Amino acid sequence: MEVVDGAMQAVDGALDNAKNAMDNAIHRIKKEVKLQKQKSDSMCRLKTAHNWQEEKERVEDPDAPSYFWRAHTVTVLVVMICMLVYTALIETPVEDSTYNGKKGFVAALFFWLALGMTIMPDGPFLRPHPALWRFSFAMGVFYELLLIYILFQTPGDARKLLKYIDADLGEPIPEKDYGGNCKLYDGDDEDPWHNVKDKVDIFIVAHLAGYWCKTLIFRDWWLSTVISIMFEFMEYSFEHQLPNFSECWWDHWILDVIICNGGGTILGIYTLRYLSMKTYHWRGLYEIPTYRGKIKRFFGQFSPHGWIEFTWNPLSSFERWIAIVCLIIGFLITELNTFYLKFVLWIPPNHLLNPVRLLFILLWGAVCLRETFQLLDDPECDRLGRQSWVMLAIIVTELLICIKFGWATMTKPLPHHIALWWVLGAALLLIYTVVRFYLLKPNHIPKPEKENIRMGSPVNTPEAEYKDFPGENSPSLPLAEPSPSQPGLFQDQNREDKKDL
């Protein structure tokens, strides 16, 4: 009996500890939500969330440009011409059309990327080097041109093109179904946890790292969480089209949303806090006397040059609300394109092309969000950024390829109950938008009409009316003196006018 009592006490103690830990976690989440809401409400009263004038007047580096920061346009041009001369006049020709075609394509791509890294304008990011972001932009332009070329092909010809990259591509691949038996603990099998082990693969790490990166480029945990939850609803909606979307309920909400996506978002929050509190004061590598300082400065080159906190404030105006909604839709389409492109082009999930594409999507998305935030927040910025323009073109072209090549799959109608839920969600979003930005808009409330008092009113006299137009000569009209019987009236009027001023 004593052993049983001791075990019961240990179980009770463990339950109490778990309950206290859960209460503390819920309290921290509520505190964080309240803090973010207060910050959002306070920023809604400001015209801009960031001092863009100070950003434009900042002197980046008084010692620049150094040797490694100059473009070296003439040197790059001479090297490129020498390479072309060697290929044309010195190298022995090869009588292999396939080899020559691949070599010419790679040479043209190399020439374009070198051109982009050399003469294209810098983007908003400086670290680790502006050439990296110029290279990323040049690769984005090339990728969009390649997508346009693929769009004009048939599905079979497009798949054959991928064989020039890898001979194993262009073959039908089976789609893995993550649904099926959804028991967490299957006592009828030799391994009762076989369902959980079957669902856990390398993509768990990819999910966590992906949402850590998403939180970093959004610089906002709320948007990352919304995209995480919305994408699970998208998987529910399209699992009749792609078996890859078919997952168990605990795979959707526990493994994906809470553990992987939530864990990546939490890591992103702590990283953002570190970057926002960090002091950004840079010195040249040769100005640091100690080797330890030089090593620290070298690795610091891979951190941001400065920091701008993205305060999106979606409820501050109708334009921002529409922009944030379009931003979320764009990222959801980008995520869906990842799965549908693999399906229509027959690219295996573990092929190198998939992580390379996601890496460039991450780089393009980081610049795109920085340009979008400045477009929304900077009153002097009135046009879409270069990278945002290319990114939107890439998203639309990828979607068109998926629709054209997978027409039979993507035109499968939504199940009736799924379609009703989407109609309900769209209706609620529309109703909330109308109520929040039209019916409850402060300047939509009719203002009371003011009495047009002319005698003795310091506001409505003809002289005051002329004062509203500077540069014009106001006539010297005598003001009517208030009668002694009405001193209180004009005193109250003067008091109200001072309040208005």
Side-chain angles (χ1 to χ4, degrees):
M1 293 297 294
E2 295 179 356
V3 175
V4 175
D5 293 339
M8 293 297 294
Q9 291 178 1
V11 172
D12 292 339
L15 291 176
D16 291 339
N17 292 334
K19 182 180 179 182
N20 293 333
M22 184 65 68
D23 292 339
N24 291 334
I26 294 175
H27 176 70
R28 289 184 178 181
I29 293 174
K30 290 182 178 179
K31 185 177 179 181
E32 180 68 23
V33 171
K34 183 178 179 181
L35 178 63
Q36 295 295 332
K37 185 178 184 303
Q38 291 176 352
K39 183 186 295 185
S40 178
D41 292 341
S42 63
M43 294 309 298
C44 284
R45 294 190 291 268
L46 302 177
K47 290 183 178 180
T48 60
H50 181 71
N51 190 347
W52 296 102
Q53 188 63 30
E54 179 182 351
E55 185 76 14
K56 296 169 184 175
E57 294 175 354
R58 181 187 302 171
V59 178
E60 300 294 347
D61 189 355
D63 297 330
S66 64
Y67 177 82
F68 294 101
W69 288 83
R70 289 197 294 267
H72 303 286
T73 54
V74 177
T75 304
V76 172
L77 178 62
V78 170
V79 171
M80 297 298 296
I81 292 177
C82 291
M83 293 174 61
L84 295 177
V85 169
Y86 172 81
T87 302
L89 304 179
I90 301 176
E91 186 181 28
T92 304
V94 178
E95 300 297 332
D96 186 350
S97 58
T98 303
Y99 173 79
N100 291 333
K102 291 181 179 180
K103 188 175 180 181
F105 180 81
V106 172
L109 175 60
F110 178 77
F111 188 91
W112 164 248
L113 294 178
L115 177 71
M117 293 175 62
T118 306
I119 67 173
M120 282 186 177
D122 291 337
F125 296 147
L126 298 176
R127 295 299 171 85
H129 196 282
L132 171 67
W133 302 102
R134 294 195 294 263
F135 169 81
S136 173
F137 178 73
M139 181 59 75
V141 176
F142 164 75
Y143 182 62
E144 170 60 16
L145 296 176
L146 182 62
L147 289 175
I148 293 174
Y149 180 81
I150 293 176
L151 183 62
F152 282 84
Q153 311 304 311
T154 62
D157 292 339
R159 292 160 188 157
K160 290 178 182 178
L161 286 174
L162 297 179
K163 287 185 174 294
Y164 286 97
I165 301 175
D166 188 347
D168 295 333
L169 293 177
E171 302 294 335
I173 55 174
E175 283 285 326
K176 184 176 180 180
D177 187 351
Y178 290 89
N181 187 1
C182 292
K183 292 182 180 179
L184 280 171
Y185 184 86
D186 190 1
D188 299 332
D189 195 88
E190 296 180 359
D191 185 5
W193 300 102
H194 69 95
N195 286 329
V196 178
K197 293 179 180 178
D198 184 59
K199 306 297 188 295
V200 176
D201 50 21
I202 189 61
F203 297 105
I204 297 293
V205 181
H207 270 277
L208 191 142
Y211 272 85
W212 175 65
C213 294
K214 281 189 182 72
T215 308
L216 290 183
I217 64 174
F218 276 111
R219 304 186 189 181
D220 187 277
W221 67 272
W222 180 250
L223 281 178
S224 299
T225 305
V226 169
I227 290 177
S228 172
I229 296 174
M230 286 299 300
F231 186 73
E232 298 304 321
F233 284 115
M234 302 287 279
E235 286 188 329
Y236 272 120
S237 303
F238 297 114
E239 64 181 10
H240 67 289
Q241 296 182 359
L242 292 184
N244 199 8
F245 287 155
S246 179
E247 298 176 351
C248 298
W249 65 268
W250 49 267
D251 195 356
H252 277 295
W253 303 110
I254 297 179
L255 202 59
D256 285 351
V257 174
I258 297 178
I259 297 179
C260 298
N261 302 348
T265 303
I266 291 173
L267 290 177
I269 290 173
Y270 281 103
T271 307
L272 290 176
R273 287 182 177 177
Y274 168 75
L275 294 175
S276 62
M277 292 185 296
K278 179 182 175 183
T279 301
Y280 293 93
H281 176 69
W282 302 102
R283 287 192 298 169
L285 190 65
Y286 298 103
E287 298 177 4
I288 302 175
T290 62
Y291 287 105
R292 182 178 180 180
K294 291 179 184 293
I295 295 174
K296 186 177 179 180
R297 174 63 179 83
F298 172 78
F299 286 104
Q301 187 68 25
F302 297 92
S303 65
H305 184 272
W307 190 252
I308 297 176
E309 186 175 355
F310 289 178
T311 307
W312 293 100
N313 288 333
L315 300 180
S316 60
S317 66
F318 176 74
E319 291 78 9
R320 282 213 174 193
W321 172 254
I322 296 299
I324 298 302
V325 171
C326 294
L327 197 64
I328 294 174
I329 294 174
F331 263 80
L332 290 175
I333 294 176
T334 305
E335 300 241 6
L336 289 176
N337 288 344
T338 303
F339 293 90
Y340 280 98
L341 282 174
K342 291 188 297 184
F343 174 74
V344 299
L345 295 177
W346 295 350
I347 302 176
N350 56 354
H351 196 273
L352 183 62
L353 284 179
N354 294 314
V356 169
R357 173 188 172 273
L358 291 177
L359 175 62
F360 279 105
I361 290 290
L362 175 66
L363 297 176
W364 301 331
V367 181
C368 176
L369 287 172
R370 170 63 170 77
E371 293 175 345
T372 302
F373 178 72
Q374 184 170 0
L375 177 65
L376 295 176
D377 196 66
D378 187 0
E380 296 183 1
C381 183
D382 56 354
R383 62 179 179 177
L384 195 66
R386 296 184 300 272
Q387 187 65 77
S388 301
W389 193 96
V390 175
M391 186 68 183
L392 288 174
I394 289 173
I395 293 173
V396 174
T397 311
E398 285 184 343
L399 180 61
L400 292 176
I401 290 174
C402 295
I403 295 174
K404 179 181 178 180
F405 292 176
W407 180 260
T409 300
M410 299 194 67
T411 53
K412 291 181 180 179
L414 293 174
H416 184 67
H417 63 286
I418 297 293
L420 288 179
W421 279 111
W422 279 108
V423 170
L424 177 62
L428 291 176
L429 180 64
L430 180 61
I431 292 173
Y432 177 80
T433 302
V434 173
V435 172
R436 176 65 177 80
F437 296 100
Y438 183 73
L439 297 181
L440 298 183
K441 192 175 181 181
N443 58 7
H444 183 71
I445 301 175
K447 298 180 181 180
E449 296 183 0
K450 294 183 179 180
E451 296 182 3
N452 192 12
I453 303 175
R454 291 217 176 253
M455 280 195 59
S457 172
V459 175
N460 294 319
T461 55
E463 181 174 320
E465 292 178 1
Y466 273 93
K467 288 180 181 178
D468 292 337
F469 302 92
E472 297 185 10
N473 297 323
S474 58
S476 57
L477 297 177
L479 297 177
E481 295 292 337
S483 62
S485 61
Q486 296 177 328
L489 172 64
F490 292 102
Q491 289 177 1
D492 294 340
Q493 182 67 38
N494 290 331
R495 196 176 298 116
E496 291 296 323
D497 294 333
K498 290 179 180 179
K499 290 180 180 179
D500 293 338
L501 295 175

